[in-house]
Amino acid sequence: MSEKINLREAMSIGIGGMVGGGIFAVLGLAVSLAQGGTPVAFLFAGLLALITSYSYVKLSLTYPDRGGTVKFINQGFGKTIFSGGLNNVLWVSYIIMLGLYASAFGSYAPNLFELTSNNTLDSHIYSSAIVVFATGINYYSIKVVGKIESYAVIIKLIILLGFVCIGIYGLLDTPNLAQLSFKNWESPINLLTGGMVIFVAYEGFELIANSAPDIENPEKNIPKAFYYSVIFVILLYIIIAVVTVGSLPFKEIATAEDYVLAEAAKPMLGQVGFSIITVAALISTFSAINASLYGGSRVSYEIAEDDELPHELTSQLWNQPIGLFITAVLTLILVNTLKLESISTAGSVGFLLIFAIVNYSGFKLAEEINGNKIITLTGFILCLLATIALIVQQYSDNKLGVIVAISIILICFLTELIYKKTEKRNQKN
């Protein structure tokens, strides 16, 4: 018998998945898109995550499975080219998230220790090195990955909550508080698309679904784990956004876009605060890379086991699924070729699409899962509209990100189509 996961541990999986590298990677980007309305952008994205978590709760209770999202999509659509293509998108979205976290690590690390006189080169060296190091840990011991996660969640939450408490106190005496006023908000469509670009900061709640078979008293604890962790993170992100926008002039936020949270600690705590937040960012992004490498390799294994990718992906390399090695290599390529905003847009498009389909699975299976059709359908429509709004708005500002996102989705479906046709031909022969 495996040890059962209690409510606190299940919540820490969700909170740890969300408060990973996301907030450190995309906070500056959020402010550049939403300006004084950044807290509202985080609220929009959070509400979408909360509605989607309803479908996850109902599906996790009816179909508890370590495959999580993969299982729910297959349950709703069968093992078809459509579901296989979507599950491929999920795997690639994990790789994109890894690229985002590694980019964030590479942006923060040179502020503590410069390797060369070239900041861009330093970022690439740090980003690549942390992916290689985390891959090594995943190969060495999954137990060590779990231990790192449990300690990292506590450390980053203590530091972030400390930042919030000191930050709120610091807001009592700052001229920048006026930046939060309504006149500094971007247009409603920009607030919405700003929220969708940074949606990646919330995607980690779905990891609770992978733990569903091991959660004790599931009827009570699965809903609580999802809802409590999402609501906690929404409130945390909104307060962090308020403190950041209220602490620094927009010009300074734009200059320090990739490491803005550390910069926001400076007015209150000086260089010591900057260093503490930088350390928190490095711990958070490292733990997020660690967990996402494991999650990504599990997703590729589940997809291959369900016969939606070649069975060779269920084979092992150095006692771990071969998907771990492939995930790490693709992450290294991604992090050294794309900019942060393009990675964030591609990741958000991928997860919004996946969550739209999970909501639709919840709608289709409403009677089986004892779910509310209105809530699940609302989740589906909102995720779909958010995906379209994000693609349309970003196409004018970030064409490369949109092209990358759409290309990835098309390649995922094309790969599935080719695989299924080849399998069919082989079976006939």
Side-chain angles (χ1 to χ4, degrees):
M1 277 284 290
S2 62
E3 276 187 52
K4 285 285 179 187
I5 295 170
N6 62 30
L7 176 61
R8 185 178 53 80
E9 288 164 337
M11 280 179 65
S12 78
I13 289 167
I15 293 168
M18 285 182 279
V19 190
I23 185 68
F24 295 97
V26 300
L27 180 60
L29 183 60
V31 179
S32 73
L33 293 164
Q35 297 288 294
T38 303
V40 181
F42 273 108
L43 177 63
F44 280 159
L47 290 175
L48 199 52
L50 190 60
I51 292 167
T52 302
S53 69
Y54 175 83
S55 294
Y56 268 93
V57 165
K58 294 296 181 181
L59 289 161
S60 297
L61 286 169
T62 312
Y63 314 110
D65 189 277
R66 286 188 184 87
T69 304
V70 175
K71 172 77 173 177
F72 304 153
I73 291 171
N74 286 346
Q75 206 67 42
F77 295 89
K79 292 176 185 177
T80 60
I81 290 168
F82 179 72
S83 59
L86 275 169
N87 286 327
N88 291 343
V89 171
L90 178 64
W91 182 23
V92 175
S93 296
Y94 264 99
I95 294 164
I96 292 167
M97 293 308 300
L98 278 158
L100 187 72
Y101 300 149
S103 289
F105 188 95
S107 298
Y108 277 88
N111 293 313
L112 280 189
F113 189 74
E114 286 184 6
L115 298 171
T116 69
S117 54
N118 186 326
N119 201 50
T120 307
L121 180 61
D122 279 1
S123 289
H124 282 294
I125 292 169
Y126 275 119
S127 298
S128 303
I130 199 64
V131 172
V132 172
F133 182 60
T135 306
I137 289 174
N138 269 264
Y139 271 115
Y140 173 69
S141 168
I142 294 303
K143 220 173 191 177
V144 172
V145 173
K147 275 207 168 126
I148 288 169
E149 288 313 295
S150 55
Y151 288 124
V153 169
I154 295 163
I155 294 166
K156 66 190 171 191
L157 281 180
I158 288 170
I159 294 174
L160 282 174
L161 291 170
F163 167 81
V164 162
C165 294
I166 296 164
I168 290 169
Y169 178 73
L171 290 179
L172 301 173
D173 184 33
T174 171
N176 298 315
L177 199 57
Q179 292 184 153
L180 289 159
S181 65
F182 192 69
K183 67 171 196 264
N184 289 316
W185 289 22
E186 284 291 320
S187 65
I189 188 71
N190 275 9
L191 290 181
L192 177 66
T193 53
M196 294 313 105
V197 169
I198 55 166
F199 187 74
V200 287
Y202 285 103
E203 62 79 26
F205 71 86
E206 50 107 19
L207 295 171
I208 297 171
N210 301 74
S211 314
D214 303 317
I215 294 174
E216 66 183 22
N217 196 358
E219 291 293 326
K220 258 184 157 182
N221 287 339
I222 286 178
K224 283 181 179 177
F226 273 104
Y227 300 142
Y228 291 178
S229 57
V230 173
I231 291 166
F232 173 81
V233 172
I234 290 172
L235 294 173
L236 180 67
Y237 283 174
I238 289 171
I239 298 168
I240 287 172
V242 167
V243 170
T244 302
V245 176
S247 300
L248 290 173
F250 287 133
K251 201 182 277 185
E252 282 184 37
I253 292 173
T255 307
E257 188 178 302
D258 293 346
Y259 52 91
V260 71
L261 207 57
E263 199 66 36
K266 259 189 179 175
M268 300 163 277
L269 297 167
Q271 192 58 40
V272 173
F274 181 90
S275 300
I276 289 170
I277 295 295
T278 300
V279 169
L282 297 178
I283 291 169
S284 291
T285 47
F286 168 57
S287 81
I289 291 163
N290 228 2
S292 299
L293 272 169
Y294 177 68
S297 66
R298 289 302 309 164
V299 166
S300 64
Y301 183 90
E302 294 282 345
I303 297 169
E305 208 173 40
D306 287 338
D307 203 28
E308 290 171 336
L309 275 178
H311 270 282
E312 283 75 12
L313 279 168
T314 60
S315 61
Q316 298 213 324
L317 177 70
W318 303 315
N319 292 327
Q320 291 300 334
I322 188 80
L324 175 58
F325 180 75
I326 297 167
T327 301
V329 170
L330 291 174
T331 303
L332 286 170
I333 294 167
L334 182 72
V335 86
N336 287 297
T337 52
L338 286 182
K339 285 187 174 174
L340 188 74
E341 190 172 359
S342 297
I343 297 172
S344 183
T345 299
S348 286
V349 168
F351 274 107
L352 281 167
L353 184 63
I354 292 293
F355 289 160
I357 299 305
V358 170
N359 278 315
Y360 193 71
S361 289
F363 173 72
K364 271 184 84 176
L365 301 164
E367 285 175 22
E368 287 176 47
I369 65 174
N370 194 25
N372 183 308
K373 280 195 165 188
I374 294 170
I375 297 173
T376 50
L377 187 61
T378 303
F380 167 67
I381 293 167
L382 289 177
C383 283
L384 210 55
L385 289 175
T387 310
I388 295 162
L390 176 60
I391 289 170
V392 170
Q393 194 274 339
Q394 282 284 290
Y395 190 71
S396 55
D397 296 346
N398 178 23
K399 208 169 271 187
L400 180 65
V402 172
I403 291 167
V404 168
I406 293 171
S407 301
I408 284 168
I409 292 165
L410 291 174
I411 290 165
C412 287
F413 279 95
L414 190 63
T415 304
E416 191 61 29
L417 180 68
I418 292 166
Y419 173 68
K420 282 279 201 282
K421 295 229 166 187
T422 310
E423 279 290 283
K424 221 173 188 179
R425 208 176 300 121
N426 291 343
Q427 279 168 8
K428 277 181 184 175
N429 294 338

